[in-house]
Amino acid sequence: MPDLQAESPIAPSRYAGRRVLITGGGSGIGQACVLRILAEGAQVVAADISPEGLDDTTGKAGEFSSRLTTVTLDVGDEDSVRAGVAAAVAELGGLDTLVNAAGILRSSHLAQTSLADFEQVLRINLTGTFLVTREAIGALLEGHRPAVVNFSSTSAHFAHPYMAAYAASKGGVLAMTHAWALEFAKAGIRFNSVQPGSISSGMTDGTGASRQSIGPGLPEDADFSLFGKVAPMLPLDGGAIFARPDAVAGVVAMLGSADAYFITGTEVRIDGGSHM
């Protein structure tokens, strides 16, 4: 069986001179995006609500850490976003690529879903994407071949049980991405989204400080047979059920680079064939 999780090739100069802001950079897929884009030569500001997570990212950046700056930022808080994005743009001296990777997941039966939990998911995943993008748009308009990569999810198009709030938020991100892609097409800003599915992340393994794992987060009486509909078709090394975060990071790096100069207003599903 081929090792489908082997490291993907890295173009060390594709991001040379490129200025990048990545939210959710303290764990999981967001952290993988930071490390991948740093390895490709970018100057990166990683933002996250968790200072400890950002410290972990800095430690993992190794030889590339001189091109990494971090900022503590709560994407669900307007004042925090305004200050954090301004600090990032000032540090970078402008902005060429924005990656909105920050997000949370809450899983529950509909009848047991509180309004507070539902609104929190929307606040972080949907409103947070709006707030960060709104604050960054001025700098992006002045950027070099500017691009925005938003994080939708396979749940925006396909049924994921017990995750209605998450699905609603990611469907909203998908719709906003399309609207912005058209609004800013003549200005030359590209907007695309990725739709991860069956990916190990801070949300699925519980390592993200502000995230809840899928396993412990599911209702105690969850019907696990329903998840057969979202299982990946491609085999993973060792019989794993989740692919590593780098499966998404490589796609994000492509979409945020000049290689994707003719791609806008679309989404890339990264799910191992779960929804063929």
Side-chain angles (χ1 to χ4, degrees):
M1 181 185 299
D3 182 3
L4 295 179
Q5 300 205 87
E7 294 294 338
S8 55
I10 294 176
S13 61
R14 180 163 61 172
Y15 273 81
R18 201 158 178 83
R19 302 159 297 181
V20 182
L21 169 61
I22 302 173
T23 69
S27 67
I29 300 173
Q31 183 182 78
C33 291
V34 171
L35 300 178
R36 173 64 184 249
I37 291 174
L38 274 175
E40 294 203 26
Q43 189 77 27
V44 177
V45 172
D48 200 280
I49 196 171
S50 168
E52 295 78 15
L54 291 172
D55 287 343
D56 182 60
T57 300
T58 299
K60 290 177 179 175
E63 63 182 297
F64 306 123
S65 61
S66 62
R67 287 187 276 105
L68 174 64
T69 305
T70 62
V71 59
T72 303
L73 184 154
D74 178 357
V75 299
D77 181 272
E78 186 173 20
D79 291 337
S80 178
V81 170
R82 185 175 289 117
V85 172
V89 171
E91 172 67 27
L92 294 169
L95 188 63
D96 303 310
T97 296
L98 169 64
V99 178
N100 284 305
I104 62 170
L105 172 63
R106 298 290 183 266
S107 305
S108 64
H109 287 293
L110 171 60
Q112 280 77 54
T113 302
S114 70
L115 178 60
D117 280 349
F118 190 89
E119 290 182 335
Q120 184 190 29
V121 173
L122 292 180
R123 183 75 182 175
I124 300 301
N125 297 353
L126 180 59
T127 305
T129 298
F130 155 71
L131 288 173
V132 173
T133 306
R134 186 191 67 183
E135 293 306 310
I137 198 66
L140 287 165
L141 284 166
E142 301 297 325
H144 177 64
R145 293 190 173 185
V148 178
V149 184
N150 291 328
F151 269 62
S152 180
S153 163
T154 53
S155 66
H157 277 141
F158 304 98
H160 285 50
Y162 316 114
M163 302 178 194
Y166 183 75
S169 70
K170 294 303 186 177
V173 169
L174 181 68
M176 284 198 310
T177 302
H178 287 180
W180 290 334
L182 183 57
E183 181 176 349
F184 292 98
K186 290 184 178 179
I189 305 179
R190 295 182 298 101
F191 284 84
N192 294 292
S193 67
V194 290
Q195 293 187 319
S198 299
I199 305 293
S200 176
S201 70
M203 290 188 294
T204 61
D205 62 20
T207 59
S210 63
R211 295 155 177 78
Q212 176 178 323
S213 64
I214 286 180
L218 287 173
E220 291 184 4
D221 61 345
D223 182 353
F224 284 90
S225 70
L226 298 177
F227 288 91
K229 293 180 176 291
V230 298
M233 294 296 100
L234 288 175
L236 294 171
D237 190 43
I241 59 173
F242 293 116
R244 293 195 310 251
D246 63 356
V248 180
V251 178
V252 170
M254 182 276 291
L255 290 173
S257 76
D259 282 356
Y261 71 93
F262 206 54
I263 303 174
T264 194
T266 193
E267 50 279 345
V268 179
R269 197 162 71 238
I270 311 162
D271 65 353
S274 298
H275 303 98
M276 288 189 285

